[in-house]
Amino acid sequence: VQAAAESSELVRKSISIVHELSKLSKDSIKVRQLLKQECADLKYSEASDAAAVTALRPLCPTRWLCRFGPIKATVDNYPALVAGMRKIVQSKVLSTATGQAKAEGILQNLLKGETYLGLCAIIKPLALMEQLSLTLQAKEVDLDSTEEALMIVDRTIKQSRDSHFLDCYKLTTDIL
């Protein structure tokens, strides 16, 4: 998963934006509260979730399967996070010039269609790999179950290569 994600500049940059957004949220209670409020406000009109802001945590550089939660939270709440970052930038919530510049950079990247597209493209493979990891770590797993799980993941990824990307492209054009 790591090699595949890092080989794609689109995915690599998109994941980097999630990491920067989560660090900003973690480092500033004001940012975290504003993002939570924006998610809560949009929850009633869209499928946004204020609890997802809590799922935004800095990405572990070595544990790739732990990236699914923060990336999924970002994808699921993209419009609310964009709106929240707009408010953060406009209201100058961050007191330092460096913090304000980071917020502006994150917002500019969130507004790019390629950021959402990259996250959308990697979410399904990450979900499959996370589920495979959980299956392989189960106490009752046997060799036949392991082999079957591996074949299912392999087949699903191969079958969805083209169609998944086209679906992601359509979602990107709809959301932005």
Side-chain angles (χ1 to χ4, degrees):
V1 174
Q2 180 179 359
E6 288 179 348
S7 70
S8 167
E9 183 178 356
L10 175 72
V11 171
R12 189 174 57 247
K13 284 182 177 180
S14 299
I15 291 174
S16 174
I17 300 305
V18 172
H19 183 65
E20 291 302 317
L21 176 63
S22 60
K23 282 192 334 188
L24 187 68
S25 174
K26 180 183 178 245
D27 293 344
S28 170
I29 189 75
K30 290 178 185 177
V31 168
R32 191 168 40 257
Q33 287 174 338
L34 232 159
L35 291 175
K36 275 186 180 182
Q37 185 60 49
E38 196 61 39
C39 286
D41 290 348
L42 290 178
K43 183 177 183 178
Y44 300 106
S45 61
E46 297 183 21
S48 193
D49 183 7
V53 175
T54 311
L56 288 177
R57 57 189 180 278
L59 305 176
C60 179
T62 56
R63 296 176 61 209
W64 272 78
L65 294 179
C66 293
R67 294 174 178 221
F68 175 72
I71 291 171
K72 180 159 178 35
T74 303
V75 169
D76 290 348
N77 296 281
Y78 207 83
L81 294 173
V82 169
M85 286 305 297
R86 272 196 181 111
K87 285 183 180 178
I88 288 164
V89 167
Q90 290 169 351
S91 63
K92 300 197 185 301
V93 168
L94 298 162
S95 57
T96 66
T98 305
Q100 188 66 24
K102 282 183 183 179
E104 289 172 6
I106 291 168
L107 175 60
Q108 292 307 312
N109 281 299
L110 288 173
L111 292 171
K112 294 178 182 175
E114 63 191 37
T115 301
Y116 185 81
L117 182 62
L119 295 175
C120 186
I122 195 64
I123 197 77
K124 187 172 183 177
L126 278 177
L128 288 168
M129 296 308 294
E130 181 182 53
Q131 186 58 48
L132 177 63
S133 177
L134 292 172
T135 300
L136 296 178
Q137 293 176 42
K139 290 180 182 178
E140 316 77 46
V141 72
D142 60 16
L143 190 56
D144 290 337
S145 301
T146 300
E147 188 176 345
E148 183 180 350
L150 286 168
M151 289 186 333
I152 289 170
V153 168
D154 183 54
R155 184 175 52 244
T156 304
I157 289 175
K158 285 178 181 174
Q159 289 173 346
S160 67
R161 276 190 182 147
D162 293 332
S163 64
H164 178 63
F165 189 79
L166 292 174
D167 293 343
C168 289
Y169 182 78
K170 184 178 178 339
L171 278 172
T172 302
T173 57
D174 291 346
I175 203 163
L176 299 174

